[in-house]
Amino acid sequence: VLLVVAFLVAYHQNKQLIGEKGLLPCKLYLQSVKKYFKGKINLDALSYAPTIIWFLDWSDMDSILDNISLVGLATSAFVLVTGCANMVLMAVLWALYLSLVNVGQIWYSFGWESQLLETGFLAIFLCPLWTLSRLPPSTPPSGIVIWGFRWLIFRIMLGAGLIKIRGDRCWRELTCMDYHYETQPVPNPIAYFMHRSPWWFHQFETLFNHFIELVVPFFIFLGRRMCIVHGVLQILFQVLLIISGNLSFLNWLTIVPSIACFDDLSLGFLFSSRRGGVKDRVVQMQARQAAGEKPPLGYGRCIRQVVNISFGLLIAYLSVPVVLNLLSSRQVMNTSFNPLRIVNTYGAFGSITKERTEVILQGTSSPDPNDPAAVWEEYDFKCKPGDLKRRPCFISPYHYRLDWLMWFAAFQTYEQNEWIIHLAGKLLAQEEEILSLMATNPFEGRAPPRWIRGEHFKYKFSRPGGTHAGEGKWWIRKRIGAYFPPVNLQGLKKFYEDRSWPYPVRD
């Protein structure tokens, strides 16, 4: 399911973000990598940015991005609908998504991308080589792979817990949840009400978070029952996070390795007991195994055992720097120590922003942007806060990459996020592709704006039942100042030329 969502997001948004006329064109990125390695597509270049796009014709990058997304979408949908997969299909899905992540630049720079790739890599070895049987009797899942998934959820949770304890002092003072619901990247309506919980409840939430992330992971190693308790607690925790925020497919994805904490007996209630069903066939297989009947140890099974052992040794070897990072007082989160992102470090919200700021893009048709009488009209994004009366959205596990990056841009500067000026130029040209990422275009059906500016505001939730809420406002805001000055297309021409970006053309 999550691969379907990931490829769907890629299909709907890649052209606007990294396509031919994208905010950060991936063709320019690959050209710069190639130039760095002396103009050659050699092993060094492939190691730096592993992607099949190196071997394709770059003359129509939009089609390449679309085709990769569509092939991935079709393949993952087949696996979802049929419930069948093999190593070949899962390897194709992994390679396709790896190819997108490694040209996605900042749009694909978050921990859940690496986590999806690591989970997908583990899933390759969970499946039989060729057969598409739902229950292949000759290739049952290896215990090594099951422990690979358990090792993944252990690192995810412990890494998240340690980065918090070592990071923002509010995690140690049990006050971080006083701010989190309001300042998280893309709040939802539940967060609006959760933010107003009493202080003692927020402290309890923080303590519970520490328990789940710092103590519960070790349950995995304490026998079957405690391992099952670990799986139950982690899944319930992720469900709570899903309910209270829009964190892309991160929490949905974290549920996947938690399932490896359960065995057949504990999951049996999920399946029908009808004759000939999956549960019945598993029982028969277990009965034959208990009677001493084993599948013949043929050539294929020998190879599979060698592959599984090699897989385990590879995971152990690649885990060394990851473990050292976990033990380090200078722990970093969401980092990969290998170009294929097979074993990675994880962590989330090591620091918490105490105030929410937003960049609001505004356009005007006035010839003089400094005219006090100029009317500035606001653009709204799909999901991030803007219009004070618009209800926060429910979007997870889907993900609007532009909205997410706007959250980061708001507590940085436009010089650190040059793509936001690129975005302003595209809005000046009213390019249809970039407007597809916006919720509103105040100049729809009219002449494009002559000027675009970025305004910086401090946002706070209104109080439920209060005056502002009575007026239908979910948010209240106060202007901080200008984020970037008014710009027009002509004035941006050299800015575009210096970066080799395609000059926006009015559609």
Side-chain angles (χ1 to χ4, degrees):
V1 175
L2 296 176
L3 279 169
V4 171
V5 172
F7 282 113
L8 190 64
V9 171
Y11 179 67
H12 284 159
Q13 301 176 33
N14 272 355
K15 291 192 294 296
Q16 300 91 319
L17 301 177
I18 59 175
E20 293 279 357
K21 298 193 297 180
L23 294 177
L24 291 173
C26 66
K27 182 189 291 187
L28 295 179
Y29 171 73
L30 289 173
Q31 287 172 344
S32 67
V33 172
K34 185 178 177 181
K35 182 178 179 181
Y36 180 79
F37 291 106
K38 301 178 181 179
K40 298 178 181 178
I41 304 175
N42 51 24
L43 188 59
D44 291 332
L46 288 171
S47 296
Y48 185 83
T51 174
I52 61 172
I53 297 177
W54 284 118
F55 309 104
L56 303 176
D57 181 6
W58 298 358
S59 61
D60 190 355
M61 189 62 77
D62 285 353
S63 293
I64 289 176
L65 294 172
D66 275 352
N67 290 335
I68 289 176
S69 301
L70 287 172
V71 172
L73 184 59
T75 306
S76 55
F78 169 81
V79 173
L80 173 63
V81 171
T82 64
C84 302
N86 57 33
M87 293 183 74
V88 175
L89 287 179
M90 298 309 296
V92 166
L93 288 171
W94 177 77
L96 291 174
Y97 202 68
L98 179 74
S99 295
L100 294 178
V101 169
N102 283 319
V103 298
Q105 303 159 83
I106 61 170
W107 310 106
Y108 283 80
S109 63
F110 302 104
W112 56 78
E113 310 295 356
S114 296
Q115 189 175 327
L116 182 57
L117 286 171
E118 182 170 351
T119 305
F121 184 79
L122 292 172
I124 295 172
F125 297 88
L126 193 65
C127 302
L129 177 59
W130 293 110
T131 178
L132 287 174
S133 169
R134 289 188 177 186
L135 195 66
S138 59
T139 53
S142 166
I144 294 174
V145 181
I146 298 299
W147 274 101
F149 279 104
R150 292 176 180 176
W151 176 231
L152 171 58
I153 187 62
F154 176 83
R155 287 183 287 109
I156 290 170
M157 302 313 297
L158 187 62
L162 290 175
I163 202 73
K164 291 180 175 68
I165 291 296
R166 291 167 173 160
D168 201 318
R169 61 186 296 177
C170 72
W171 287 113
R172 299 186 294 276
E173 295 172 351
L174 307 183
T175 58
C176 275
M177 297 307 292
D178 294 347
Y179 313 101
H180 168 73
Y181 292 113
E182 183 176 74
T183 62
Q184 64 180 305
V186 186
N188 68 16
I190 304 298
Y192 174 82
F193 296 101
M194 292 291 289
H195 177 65
R196 297 299 178 182
S197 301
W199 65 269
W200 58 264
F201 183 75
H202 286 318
Q203 285 197 339
F204 170 76
E205 287 180 301
T206 311
L207 275 173
F208 181 69
N209 183 92
H210 292 332
F211 172 70
I212 289 291
E213 294 183 342
L214 293 170
V215 178
V216 172
F218 292 94
F219 289 5
I220 288 175
F221 308 107
L222 300 180
R224 174 181 178 269
R225 289 185 179 180
M226 294 303 288
C227 190
I228 292 173
V229 170
H230 171 275
V232 171
L233 289 175
Q234 294 297 359
I235 290 172
L236 289 176
F237 183 59
Q238 297 307 318
V239 170
L240 290 174
L241 295 178
I242 290 167
I243 290 171
S244 63
N246 292 299
L247 299 177
S248 182
F249 45 77
L250 172 64
N251 307 120
W252 302 81
L253 183 59
T254 306
I255 290 174
V256 175
S258 299
I259 297 172
C261 296
F262 303 94
D263 55 18
D264 290 348
L265 182 62
S266 59
L267 295 176
F269 73 97
L270 296 174
F271 299 90
S272 169
S273 298
R274 65 182 177 81
R275 188 174 182 81
V278 172
K279 187 175 180 179
D280 181 57
R281 289 159 60 197
V282 169
V283 170
Q284 292 178 22
M285 289 171 60
Q286 291 173 338
R288 289 194 297 269
Q289 191 175 40
E293 181 181 335
K294 294 183 179 179
L297 191 63
Y299 183 68
R301 280 180 58 82
C302 289
I303 292 178
R304 185 59 184 259
Q305 288 186 359
V306 171
V307 168
N308 287 335
I309 293 171
S310 301
F311 163 80
L313 292 174
L314 175 65
I315 296 299
Y317 173 74
L318 294 177
S319 294
V320 172
V322 174
V323 172
L324 293 176
N325 178 69
L326 282 174
L327 298 174
S328 172
S329 59
R330 297 184 178 182
Q331 176 193 0
V332 293
M333 64 181 188
N334 299 328
T335 301
S336 182
F337 296 103
N338 60 88
L340 298 180
R341 305 179 189 237
I342 296 173
V343 181
N344 313 291
T345 68
Y346 300 103
F349 296 105
S351 61
I352 295 289
T353 51
K354 308 303 188 294
E355 293 183 343
R356 178 177 207 95
T357 58
E358 293 288 349
V359 178
I360 304 298
L361 300 183
Q362 301 174 338
T364 184
S365 297
S366 172
D368 181 7
N370 299 312
D371 183 355
V375 176
W376 291 91
E377 300 177 74
E378 297 185 2
Y379 291 86
D380 264 329
F381 288 75
K382 294 278 190 181
C383 211
K384 90 172 190 69
D387 181 357
L388 303 180
K389 293 186 177 182
R390 190 177 66 170
R391 188 188 71 179
C393 66
F394 282 111
I395 190 63
S396 173
Y398 197 78
H399 177 47
Y400 292 119
R401 298 188 184 278
L402 180 58
D403 290 46
W404 193 275
L405 265 293
M406 288 295 294
W407 179 76
F408 280 93
F411 52 81
Q412 297 172 338
T413 65
Y414 74 88
E415 290 92 347
Q416 294 170 291
N417 299 275
E418 291 184 338
W419 56 267
I420 203 169
I421 305 299
H422 198 173
L423 172 61
K426 290 178 175 298
L427 294 178
L428 286 164
Q430 290 202 146
E431 286 191 1
E432 290 184 8
E433 281 195 347
I434 206 66
L435 285 171
S436 70
L437 297 182
M438 310 296 291
T440 62
N441 171 20
F443 296 89
E444 186 174 2
R446 300 157 46 193
R450 295 185 179 184
W451 299 87
I452 294 282
R453 70 181 183 186
E455 290 288 280
H456 211 181
F457 287 89
K458 177 182 175 181
Y459 269 65
K460 291 180 68 69
F461 277 138
S462 64
R463 183 174 294 277
T467 304
H468 294 96
E471 297 171 355
K473 294 180 180 177
W474 291 80
W475 299 94
I476 56 177
R477 75 182 186 184
K478 180 180 180 181
R479 184 178 183 271
I480 299 172
Y483 184 79
F484 65 82
V487 294
N488 64 7
L489 266 181
Q490 186 60 34
L492 289 176
K493 193 166 186 177
K494 189 174 187 308
F495 181 84
Y496 276 73
E497 289 174 352
D498 290 344
R499 290 154 183 81
S500 300
W501 289 342
Y503 190 65
V505 177
R506 298 186 191 276
D507 290 331

